[in-house]
Amino acid sequence: MRTVEEHQAVVNALLPAMPEEVVALAEAHGRLLARDVVAQVPLPGFDNSAMDGYAGRWAELAGADGGPVRLPVAEDVPAGRGDVVPLAPGTVHRIMTGAPLPPGADVVVPVELTDGGTDVVEVRDRPPVGSHLRGAGEDIAAGTVALSAGSPLGAAQLGLAAAVGVTELTVRRRPRVLVLSTGSELVAPGEPLARGQIYESNSVLLAAAVEEAGGIPRRLHFVPDDVDQFLTTVRAELATADLLITSGGVSAGAYEVVKDAFRSLGTVEFGKVGMQPGGPQGAGTVDGVPVITLPGNPVSAFVSFEVFVRPALRRALGHAFPDRLRAPARLTGALRSPAGKRQFLRGRYDGGEVSQVGGPGSHLVAHLARANCLVVVPEDVTELPAGAAVDVVLIEGALQ
């Protein structure tokens, strides 16, 4: 029996780093940057005003007694004006936020500290010298790294890329993942159910999990427990895939189509992992394409994906920290766990406390949907009292 870490290493080794591709800025949201982005221009690109107000010389903005002073308004400087006139002694320029600072000015007086005059303005109070100025390059200098390789590209990162003049970004290509559920008992949702049949849900669950992890999923129509039909279906689709994920057909009983089909090829290894749920696992290649086989029970499939597949996908995409966030928590109630197996219980985490959601059964889909974390119980722990400290894996983003 493998440990969790041993099987994680097997799965990780199957998925190499995704190749790079260049995409337009608008298509890069949610991707991972593969190469550094260098600023083509400084930010700000020129000295400018941080306020609507009046640009002036600090020494001239107070009367002899330190009180208000009236000065002529020599120029209006809106944002975008290019022909900025130097500031003549004894005058001010009315200036808008983001407008270029006139040479000679060393302070901007906010309009709120004046009477708002357009020909002559009364300055009632002056801020300290240098106030409300934005210096050229104070945010970032031209030629320096604006975004480092490995950065997730969210709204702020894309905004910065645009601000420094970038139109394209080099990212890791999203892995193309085939998702296939097996079982003669499976029926598409919405179709009539005969006795002994169930609605197929694993491919929907796993495809959504693949997309959330950064991959591009494609669901294959589930196939019955027929080895030849299974292999025919799989091989017809593998040429365009980076990974195949199957669910079902890997346990120790009869009619385990995934195990029977792939064992005949000799390139996929099946075995047990010391965990619950999700003990039966398989991994290998088919026609050179990585294959990860997961158990068929929905909770087992989900937990197996979280523990093994999701981190491998994110690592292949270049994430420096591919694992889910973890947090310490206190149990609100006692729990039991089988000896020798790492337990991943569904839980609800709130304010540093965690309560178990449902039992350990791998069929409890409704309870899974109400969980926002996995409670991790080590292999050598068989019971924990209420109030005990546990480690939880936060998965709310995948379930809500």
Side-chain angles (χ1 to χ4, degrees):
M1 182 181 292
R2 283 178 178 163
T3 66
V4 170
E5 287 75 17
E6 287 170 344
H7 194 64
Q8 284 174 331
V10 169
V11 172
N12 286 337
L14 286 175
L15 289 172
M18 288 292 104
E20 297 176 0
E21 64 177 357
V22 178
V23 300
L25 203 60
E27 299 173 12
H29 187 224
R31 307 288 290 275
L32 200 82
L33 189 64
R35 294 182 179 270
D36 290 349
V37 171
V38 175
Q40 299 179 10
V41 295
L43 293 179
F46 47 86
D47 295 341
N48 67 85
S49 175
M51 298 284 287
D52 292 340
Y54 298 84
R57 289 183 172 84
W58 184 84
E60 299 174 349
L61 296 178
D65 58 356
V69 64
R70 291 175 62 81
L71 293 169
V73 179
E75 295 282 343
D76 262 345
V77 189
R81 179 171 173 177
D83 59 332
V84 181
V85 177
L87 184 68
T91 68
V92 295
H93 291 183
R94 191 170 70 151
I95 195 167
M96 303 301 127
T97 302
L101 193 71
D106 58 8
V107 69
V108 170
V109 180
V111 68
E112 294 83 0
L113 301 182
T114 73
D115 65 357
T118 56
D119 295 321
V120 175
V121 64
E122 181 177 89
V123 177
R124 296 167 179 159
D125 193 9
R126 63 176 177 177
V129 64
S131 293
H132 311 303
L133 306 181
R134 300 167 176 164
E138 72 174 40
D139 191 8
I140 188 169
T144 60
V145 174
L147 294 169
S148 299
S151 299
L153 295 170
Q157 291 74 30
L158 294 180
L160 173 58
V164 297
V166 171
T167 60
E168 295 179 327
L169 293 171
T170 303
V171 296
R172 294 284 177 189
R173 180 173 62 73
R174 296 174 66 190
R176 300 170 299 228
V177 182
L178 297 175
V179 178
L180 175 61
S181 294
T182 64
S184 297
E185 77 280 15
L186 301 178
V187 175
E191 296 294 323
L193 284 177
R195 185 173 179 82
Q197 293 182 324
I198 61 173
Y199 287 128
E200 195 280 317
S201 61
N202 278 2
S203 69
V204 175
L205 181 155
L206 291 171
V210 165
E211 187 169 24
E212 198 273 335
I216 302 174
R218 187 159 72 84
R219 294 165 57 203
L220 299 184
H221 191 274
F222 49 89
V223 297
D225 294 330
D226 179 276
V227 168
D228 291 336
Q229 187 174 347
F230 175 81
L231 283 176
T232 299
T233 300
V234 166
R235 285 185 144 149
E237 303 289 346
L238 282 179
T240 59
D242 299 302
L243 172 66
L244 168 66
I245 301 173
T246 68
S247 65
V250 296
S251 296
Y255 309 110
E256 301 296 347
V257 64
V258 174
K259 184 182 288 186
D260 293 343
F262 287 164
R263 266 188 172 167
S264 69
L265 302 179
T267 55
V268 179
E269 184 179 356
F270 297 90
K272 289 277 191 177
V273 176
M275 62 186 285
Q276 189 182 55
Q281 300 286 337
T285 62
V286 173
D287 298 345
V289 177
V291 173
I292 300 169
T293 69
L294 306 180
N297 278 316
V299 177
S300 296
F302 179 82
V303 171
S304 299
F305 183 92
E306 284 290 319
V307 175
F308 302 118
V309 186
R310 186 180 192 276
L313 284 173
R314 288 172 60 79
R315 187 174 282 106
L317 280 166
H319 287 272
F321 304 100
D323 296 326
R324 292 277 194 189
L325 292 177
R326 292 186 173 229
R330 295 281 176 183
L331 289 172
T332 61
L335 61 80
R336 292 181 178 273
S337 183
K341 292 185 178 181
R342 189 174 307 177
Q343 183 85 244
F344 293 91
L345 296 168
R346 278 65 65 205
R348 191 77 194 171
Y349 176 81
D350 184 21
E353 292 187 331
V354 64
S355 55
Q356 187 175 343
V357 178
S362 56
H363 62 293
L364 301 174
V365 187
H367 290 96
L368 174 65
R370 289 194 287 271
N372 67 2
C373 71
L374 297 176
V375 182
V376 184
V377 184
E379 291 87 338
D380 58 349
V381 175
T382 57
E383 55 184 299
L384 289 169
V390 292
D391 192 27
V392 301
V393 180
L394 302 178
I395 58 172
E396 186 171 0
L399 293 178
Q400 288 192 348

